[in-house]
Amino acid sequence: MDVKNVVSQMTLEEKCSLLSGADFWHTRSVERLGVKGIMVSDGPHGLRKQDDQADHLGINDSIKAVCFPAACASTSSFDRNLVRTLGETIGDECQHEKVAINLGPAINIKRSPLCGRNFEYMSEDPYLAGEMAASLIQGVQSKNIGVSVKHFAANNQEHRRMSSSSEIDERTLREIYLPAFEAAAKKGHAWTYMCSYNKINGVHSDVNKWLLTDVLRKEWGSDAYVMSDWGAVTDRVAGVAAGLDLEMPGSGGVNDAEVVKAVREGRLAEADVDACVERILTIHQRYLENAKPETPWDQEKDHALAGKLAADCLVLLKNEGNILPLKQGEKIAIIGEFAQKPRFQGGGSSHINSFKVTSLLDAVADIPNVTYAQGYRILSDEVDEALQAEALAAAKQADKVVIVAGLPDSYESEGYDRDHMRMPANQNALIEVIAAEHQQVVVLLYNGSPVEMPWLDKVQGVLEGYLAGQNVGTANRAVLWGEVNPSARLAETMPIRLEDTPSYLSFGGEANTAVYSEGIFVGYRYYTKKKLAVNFPFGYGLSYTTFEYCNLRLEKDQIKDTDTLQVCVDVKNTGSVAGKEVVQLYVSDRESAEVFRPVRELKGFDKVELQPGETKTVSFTLDKRSFAFWNVNTKDWFVETGVFDIQICKNAEEVVLSAPVTVEGTVPLPILVDEDTIMMDLKKHPAKMAILRKAREAMRPAQEEEKKEESAAASEAITEDMNEAMERYSPLRNMISFSGGQANHEDLKQLIDAMNAVE
Ligand code: BGC
C-alpha cells in the first residue's frame, strides 16, 4: 500500500477517525480505501489478549496463554540472547493470535524499590535496561510484530500516576531516565512507543512536543508512532501537534471531532494530522503485509521454554558452606505455601491468564525424601502457631530446609506503590524460628522488588527467585538441585533498609509534584558514592563454579573522544562444573572538574558459558558515550579530557581488573563571559586570558602604588600560593572594586565584549 497516496484520498473526518482506537484493543479501518485496523495486546512477558469485557487493569480474563519471567527476572539474566528468544516467542504467539503489537517492553528506571510496577521494569541502570530492551525488541520485531516501548517517559512511581509531575533536571533525564528509550529507538528500532500518564517538569507526556518529536524523532531518528497509555490523553489537539499519533483506547469519537474542528478553525495544521496517520499506517503495513496466522502456537512447548529461561534468571545471593546445590538422597523439607501456590507474576495490565502453572512442589514430585509443610498463609500476615510448629517439626527431620517466602500479590502491583520494603511478618517470623533451630536453611524468594532481610545472617542460603513466570517450579528445582548452574546477576541493588535508598526523602513526591532530588545518583551510583553498605550490590550473583579474570588489554592507552576503544579480558572457569559468567565493564572518571560523576558506570557486559578449565576472551567496544556526561550548556554529550579507569567488575562494588586510558575531549567547552565569570574558568581559554592580561597591564602602575602601602606583615601572612588560590574564585567584576579607580563599568563591559569576541 502506498500510504501517502491513500492518506491523500481520505477526508479529514476519515483521517481523524484513525487517530484513536475503535475499542479497547483495536484501531479503526477505512474500508472504502482498503485501510485495515489492527489489534494490540498487553505484554510484556506474554500475551494478554482480551476479547470481550476489556479492561486495562488485568481484572478481566484474557485468553489462556503462557506467562514468561517478568522483566525483574529476565533482565537479571544479563543475557541478550535470552530476552531475544523471549521476544521471538512472544512474536510468534502474536502472529498466531493476529495481534499486531505487543504492549511492551516496560523500561522505566527503578528509581526506588517502592514503585509498584518495578516487577515489570528492567533495571536501575539505563545501559542495562537499554541493551536488554533492544534485544527483546529485535526478537519480537523479527517476527513482524511491533512492540510499544513504555511508559515514555519518567513514569517511575504509581502513586498519582496520572497527575504527578516528575521534576527532573536536564542532565539526570538524559543520563538516567531517557537512555533506555534511546537504545530502544536506535538499536531496537521500536515500531511504537507508549507515552506515559505523568507529566515531566509540568508537561503531560501526551502533549510533550520536546519528548515526542524533538527528542524521539529528530534526535534519535525514530520512525515509531506514539500511542497514548490507556486514558493518558489530556488535550488531543495539542497532542496531535506534539506528535502523539494514536489515542488509546479512544474516546468514542469525542476527541476525533475536536481534532477535525481544530483543523477547520485553523488551530491545527492538517499536515500534522496527515503525519500522524501516515506514521500509524506505515507501521501497521509492516504487520499486515507479513501476517502469518498459520504460525503454530504450541503452548506446552512455550511452557517448557518459560521454565528453561527462568532457570537462567534466578540469582544466587548467598551460599554459605555450599549448602546449594542440594544433593539427591538428602532429606529436604520444603516449607511455605508459595511452594504450592507460587507467585510468579505481578498484578495489573501485564497479568497473563496462564494455561498451566508448575509449582516447586509439582516440579519435585519425583525427587525422593522431599517433604512439605505450609508454614504460613499467603493471604494473612498473622503467625499461625499450628502451621509454624508443623513446619519446625518437618525442618527438624530434614538434612536441609528450603523456605519459600516472598511478597503476596497485594504487596506490589500496578496502580499503587509499596510504602515499606518488608515481607509479611508471619513469613519473617517463620524464617527466624526455623533458622534458630536448623543450620542448613535456604530461603527462596518470590518478589518483584527488593525486600528487607532481617534474617539474612541467620540462614545459609538465599536464592532470589523474582517473579519467574508460570513454569517457576521447574526453574527453581533445576537451580536448587544443581541441574542448572545459577548465572543471573542483580539488575538492581538490594539495600538493607528503605531509609538507605537514594530517593528515600522524596519518593512519591508532595501532592502532584515528585522532585527527583537525588539527581543522577540512582541505584548503585548512589550507594557506591556514599560507600553505603547494602545487602547485595547491583550486578551481584553467585555460581556453583568459580571464575578467574586475567589479561585485561586496552587497544590503546590514549584516545580521542571521536575514537572507539577495544577492550579484551580473559575469563576462566576454575571450578569443576560448567557455568556462565556475566562479565561486567564499568568506566570510572578519575577526576571531573566540570560535574559530579558517579564512582563508576556500567558501559559493557557479556555472558559467556565456560566448561571447567575453559578460558574465553570477552571483548567490548567503548565509544564516546562510554566516557561522556550530558552537558547542559552545550546540550550534548561531552567528554572532559582526563584519565578514565576501565574496570572489569564482579558487581558494582567489586573491581577485579582495572586499566587506565587517557581520553582527549575534542569539543571545546564554550564559555560566555560575564561579570560573574571567575578566573578559574577563564584560565581554560588562553585567548580570553590574553585580553585580560593586557587590560591588567594597563592598570598595573596604580595598583603597584597601592601595594606599597601594605604592611610587610600582611604580605607575609598571605603567600603567593594563597593569593593565587584565592584569586581562582575572583569574578571579573572585582576589577572595579580592586583597581583603585582604574576601571569603571564601561571598561568592564568593553573587556567582556572583547573576550566574548574570541574563542
Ligand atoms: C498500563 C499500560 C498498559 C495499558 C493497556 C495501562 O493502564 O499503564 O502499561 O499497556 O494499560 O492495558
Side-chain angles (χ1 to χ4, degrees), residues 1-33:
M1 174 191 277
D2 176 352
V3 170
K4 251 192 176 349
N5 181 29
V6 170
V7 174
S8 73
Q9 296 173 50
M10 287 180 190
T11 64
L12 180 61
E13 282 73 9
E14 281 170 338
K15 287 190 280 198
C16 292
S17 77
L18 295 176
L19 297 179
S20 65
D23 57 30
F24 242 75
W25 306 116
H26 295 88
T27 65
R28 288 182 204 275
S29 51
V30 179
E31 269 162 33
R32 87 178 169 89
L33 294 169

Short mmCIF file of all heavy atoms in Angstrom, two decimals, residues 1-33:
data_model
loop_
_atom_site.label_atom_id
_atom_site.label_comp_id
_atom_site.label_asym_id
_atom_site.label_seq_id
_atom_site.Cartn_x
_atom_site.Cartn_y
_atom_site.Cartn_z
N MET A 1 0.84 -1.20 0.00
CA MET A 1 0.00 0.00 0.00
C MET A 1 0.87 1.26 0.00
O MET A 1 1.82 1.35 0.78
CB MET A 1 -0.91 -0.01 1.25
CG MET A 1 -1.70 1.26 1.42
SD MET A 1 -2.51 1.36 3.03
CE MET A 1 -3.97 0.39 2.73
N ASP A 2 0.53 2.19 -0.87
CA ASP A 2 1.26 3.45 -0.88
C ASP A 2 0.56 4.37 0.13
O ASP A 2 -0.47 5.00 -0.17
CB ASP A 2 1.21 4.03 -2.30
CG ASP A 2 1.87 5.40 -2.39
OD1 ASP A 2 2.22 5.96 -1.33
OD2 ASP A 2 2.01 5.90 -3.52
N VAL A 3 1.11 4.41 1.33
CA VAL A 3 0.43 5.07 2.44
C VAL A 3 0.14 6.54 2.15
O VAL A 3 -0.98 7.02 2.36
CB VAL A 3 1.25 4.91 3.74
CG1 VAL A 3 0.70 5.80 4.85
CG2 VAL A 3 1.25 3.46 4.19
N LYS A 4 1.13 7.24 1.66
CA LYS A 4 0.95 8.68 1.39
C LYS A 4 -0.22 8.92 0.44
O LYS A 4 -1.06 9.79 0.65
CB LYS A 4 2.23 9.23 0.76
CG LYS A 4 2.98 10.14 1.70
CD LYS A 4 4.06 10.88 0.95
CE LYS A 4 4.81 11.88 1.76
NZ LYS A 4 4.47 12.32 3.02
N ASN A 5 -0.24 8.10 -0.59
CA ASN A 5 -1.28 8.21 -1.60
C ASN A 5 -2.66 7.93 -1.00
O ASN A 5 -3.64 8.67 -1.23
CB ASN A 5 -0.94 7.24 -2.75
CG ASN A 5 -1.96 7.31 -3.86
OD1 ASN A 5 -2.57 8.36 -4.08
ND2 ASN A 5 -2.16 6.20 -4.56
N VAL A 6 -2.74 6.88 -0.20
CA VAL A 6 -4.02 6.53 0.42
C VAL A 6 -4.49 7.66 1.35
O VAL A 6 -5.65 8.07 1.33
CB VAL A 6 -3.90 5.19 1.18
CG1 VAL A 6 -5.13 4.93 2.03
CG2 VAL A 6 -3.68 4.04 0.21
N VAL A 7 -3.55 8.18 2.14
CA VAL A 7 -3.92 9.26 3.07
C VAL A 7 -4.42 10.48 2.29
O VAL A 7 -5.37 11.15 2.72
CB VAL A 7 -2.73 9.60 4.01
CG1 VAL A 7 -3.06 10.81 4.89
CG2 VAL A 7 -2.38 8.40 4.88
N SER A 8 -3.80 10.72 1.15
CA SER A 8 -4.21 11.90 0.38
C SER A 8 -5.64 11.76 -0.16
O SER A 8 -6.28 12.75 -0.49
CB SER A 8 -3.23 12.13 -0.78
OG SER A 8 -3.43 11.14 -1.77
N GLN A 9 -6.13 10.54 -0.20
CA GLN A 9 -7.51 10.35 -0.68
C GLN A 9 -8.56 10.39 0.42
O GLN A 9 -9.75 10.26 0.19
CB GLN A 9 -7.62 8.99 -1.38
CG GLN A 9 -6.78 8.87 -2.64
CD GLN A 9 -6.82 7.46 -3.17
OE1 GLN A 9 -7.90 6.89 -3.33
NE2 GLN A 9 -5.67 6.88 -3.42
N MET A 10 -8.10 10.52 1.66
CA MET A 10 -9.05 10.47 2.78
C MET A 10 -9.66 11.84 3.06
O MET A 10 -9.00 12.86 2.88
CB MET A 10 -8.33 10.02 4.05
CG MET A 10 -7.97 8.56 4.05
SD MET A 10 -7.13 8.18 5.60
CE MET A 10 -6.57 6.55 5.21
N THR A 11 -10.88 11.81 3.56
CA THR A 11 -11.47 13.05 4.06
C THR A 11 -10.84 13.36 5.40
O THR A 11 -10.25 12.47 6.04
CB THR A 11 -13.00 12.90 4.27
OG1 THR A 11 -13.20 11.92 5.32
CG2 THR A 11 -13.70 12.43 3.02
N LEU A 12 -11.00 14.61 5.83
CA LEU A 12 -10.44 14.98 7.14
C LEU A 12 -11.04 14.10 8.24
O LEU A 12 -10.34 13.63 9.14
CB LEU A 12 -10.73 16.46 7.41
CG LEU A 12 -10.21 17.01 8.74
CD1 LEU A 12 -8.68 16.90 8.83
CD2 LEU A 12 -10.64 18.46 8.93
N GLU A 13 -12.36 13.83 8.13
CA GLU A 13 -13.02 13.01 9.15
C GLU A 13 -12.44 11.61 9.17
O GLU A 13 -12.24 11.01 10.23
CB GLU A 13 -14.54 12.92 8.89
CG GLU A 13 -15.33 14.14 9.29
CD GLU A 13 -15.13 15.35 8.36
OE1 GLU A 13 -14.50 15.17 7.29
OE2 GLU A 13 -15.60 16.44 8.70
N GLU A 14 -12.18 11.06 8.00
CA GLU A 14 -11.61 9.70 7.96
C GLU A 14 -10.23 9.68 8.61
O GLU A 14 -9.91 8.78 9.40
CB GLU A 14 -11.52 9.21 6.51
CG GLU A 14 -12.84 8.72 5.96
CD GLU A 14 -12.80 8.46 4.45
OE1 GLU A 14 -11.93 9.03 3.74
OE2 GLU A 14 -13.65 7.70 3.98
N LYS A 15 -9.46 10.69 8.28
CA LYS A 15 -8.11 10.74 8.84
C LYS A 15 -8.18 10.82 10.37
O LYS A 15 -7.48 10.10 11.07
CB LYS A 15 -7.32 11.93 8.28
CG LYS A 15 -6.91 11.72 6.84
CD LYS A 15 -5.94 12.78 6.36
CE LYS A 15 -6.63 14.05 5.97
NZ LYS A 15 -5.81 14.93 5.11
N CYS A 16 -9.05 11.72 10.84
CA CYS A 16 -9.11 11.91 12.30
C CYS A 16 -9.67 10.68 13.00
O CYS A 16 -9.34 10.41 14.17
CB CYS A 16 -9.93 13.15 12.64
SG CYS A 16 -9.07 14.65 12.10
N SER A 17 -10.48 9.90 12.29
CA SER A 17 -11.02 8.68 12.92
C SER A 17 -9.90 7.68 13.20
O SER A 17 -10.00 6.84 14.08
CB SER A 17 -12.09 8.05 12.04
OG SER A 17 -11.47 7.37 10.96
N LEU A 18 -8.83 7.79 12.42
CA LEU A 18 -7.72 6.85 12.61
C LEU A 18 -6.80 7.26 13.76
O LEU A 18 -5.88 6.52 14.11
CB LEU A 18 -6.90 6.74 11.32
CG LEU A 18 -7.64 6.13 10.13
CD1 LEU A 18 -6.76 6.17 8.88
CD2 LEU A 18 -8.06 4.69 10.42
N LEU A 19 -7.07 8.42 14.33
CA LEU A 19 -6.20 8.92 15.40
C LEU A 19 -6.56 8.38 16.77
O LEU A 19 -5.96 8.75 17.78
CB LEU A 19 -6.24 10.45 15.45
CG LEU A 19 -5.72 11.19 14.21
CD1 LEU A 19 -5.84 12.69 14.40
CD2 LEU A 19 -4.28 10.81 13.93
N SER A 20 -7.60 7.52 16.82
CA SER A 20 -7.95 6.93 18.12
C SER A 20 -8.43 5.50 17.91
O SER A 20 -8.79 5.10 16.80
CB SER A 20 -9.04 7.76 18.80
OG SER A 20 -10.22 7.68 18.04
N GLY A 21 -8.43 4.74 18.98
CA GLY A 21 -8.81 3.33 18.90
C GLY A 21 -10.29 3.15 18.62
O GLY A 21 -11.12 4.00 18.98
N ALA A 22 -10.64 2.01 17.99
CA ALA A 22 -12.04 1.69 17.73
C ALA A 22 -12.67 1.19 19.03
O ALA A 22 -13.85 1.42 19.29
CB ALA A 22 -12.13 0.61 16.65
N ASP A 23 -11.88 0.49 19.82
CA ASP A 23 -12.32 0.00 21.11
C ASP A 23 -11.08 -0.13 21.98
O ASP A 23 -10.08 0.53 21.73
CB ASP A 23 -13.06 -1.35 20.97
CG ASP A 23 -12.20 -2.41 20.28
OD1 ASP A 23 -10.97 -2.34 20.42
OD2 ASP A 23 -12.76 -3.29 19.59
N PHE A 24 -11.15 -0.99 22.97
CA PHE A 24 -10.02 -1.11 23.88
C PHE A 24 -8.73 -1.56 23.21
O PHE A 24 -7.64 -1.15 23.58
CB PHE A 24 -10.38 -2.10 25.00
CG PHE A 24 -10.37 -1.46 26.33
CD1 PHE A 24 -11.40 -0.60 26.70
CD2 PHE A 24 -9.31 -1.66 27.20
CE1 PHE A 24 -11.38 0.03 27.93
CE2 PHE A 24 -9.28 -1.03 28.43
CZ PHE A 24 -10.32 -0.19 28.80
N TRP A 25 -8.84 -2.43 22.25
CA TRP A 25 -7.63 -3.08 21.71
C TRP A 25 -7.47 -2.97 20.19
O TRP A 25 -6.49 -3.48 19.65
CB TRP A 25 -7.62 -4.56 22.08
CG TRP A 25 -7.77 -4.79 23.56
CD1 TRP A 25 -8.79 -5.43 24.17
CD2 TRP A 25 -6.86 -4.39 24.60
NE1 TRP A 25 -8.60 -5.45 25.53
CE2 TRP A 25 -7.41 -4.82 25.82
CE3 TRP A 25 -5.64 -3.70 24.62
CZ2 TRP A 25 -6.79 -4.59 27.05
CZ3 TRP A 25 -5.01 -3.47 25.84
CH2 TRP A 25 -5.59 -3.92 27.03
N HIS A 26 -8.45 -2.37 19.49
CA HIS A 26 -8.36 -2.32 18.03
C HIS A 26 -8.23 -0.89 17.52
O HIS A 26 -8.78 0.03 18.12
CB HIS A 26 -9.60 -2.97 17.38
CG HIS A 26 -9.71 -4.43 17.67
ND1 HIS A 26 -10.34 -4.91 18.79
CD2 HIS A 26 -9.24 -5.51 17.01
CE1 HIS A 26 -10.27 -6.23 18.80
NE2 HIS A 26 -9.59 -6.62 17.73
N THR A 27 -7.55 -0.77 16.38
CA THR A 27 -7.55 0.53 15.71
C THR A 27 -8.63 0.48 14.62
O THR A 27 -9.14 -0.59 14.27
CB THR A 27 -6.18 0.84 15.09
OG1 THR A 27 -5.92 -0.10 14.05
CG2 THR A 27 -5.07 0.76 16.13
N ARG A 28 -8.94 1.63 14.08
CA ARG A 28 -10.04 1.69 13.10
C ARG A 28 -9.58 1.37 11.69
O ARG A 28 -8.38 1.40 11.39
CB ARG A 28 -10.62 3.10 13.09
CG ARG A 28 -11.42 3.43 14.32
CD ARG A 28 -11.99 4.83 14.17
NE ARG A 28 -12.26 5.41 15.47
CZ ARG A 28 -13.38 5.21 16.14
NH1 ARG A 28 -14.35 4.48 15.64
NH2 ARG A 28 -13.55 5.77 17.31
N SER A 29 -10.57 1.11 10.86
CA SER A 29 -10.27 0.87 9.44
C SER A 29 -11.02 1.93 8.61
O SER A 29 -11.93 2.60 9.10
CB SER A 29 -10.74 -0.52 9.05
OG SER A 29 -12.07 -0.70 9.45
N VAL A 30 -10.59 2.07 7.36
CA VAL A 30 -11.36 2.88 6.40
C VAL A 30 -11.59 1.96 5.22
O VAL A 30 -10.73 1.82 4.34
CB VAL A 30 -10.58 4.14 5.97
CG1 VAL A 30 -11.37 4.96 4.95
CG2 VAL A 30 -10.25 5.02 7.18
N GLU A 31 -12.74 1.30 5.26
CA GLU A 31 -12.94 0.21 4.31
C GLU A 31 -12.89 0.65 2.85
O GLU A 31 -12.30 -0.04 2.01
CB GLU A 31 -14.23 -0.52 4.62
CG GLU A 31 -13.92 -1.67 5.59
CD GLU A 31 -15.14 -2.19 6.30
OE1 GLU A 31 -16.22 -2.17 5.70
OE2 GLU A 31 -14.98 -2.60 7.47
N ARG A 32 -13.45 1.82 2.58
CA ARG A 32 -13.53 2.21 1.17
C ARG A 32 -12.14 2.34 0.54
O ARG A 32 -11.97 2.21 -0.66
CB ARG A 32 -14.35 3.49 1.00
CG ARG A 32 -13.61 4.76 1.14
CD ARG A 32 -14.43 6.01 0.93
NE ARG A 32 -13.63 7.14 1.34
CZ ARG A 32 -12.80 7.81 0.54
NH1 ARG A 32 -12.71 7.50 -0.72
NH2 ARG A 32 -12.08 8.80 1.02
N LEU A 33 -11.12 2.54 1.37
CA LEU A 33 -9.76 2.67 0.83
C LEU A 33 -8.88 1.47 1.17
O LEU A 33 -7.66 1.48 0.98
CB LEU A 33 -9.10 3.95 1.37
CG LEU A 33 -9.75 5.25 0.90
CD1 LEU A 33 -9.22 6.45 1.67
CD2 LEU A 33 -9.51 5.46 -0.61
#
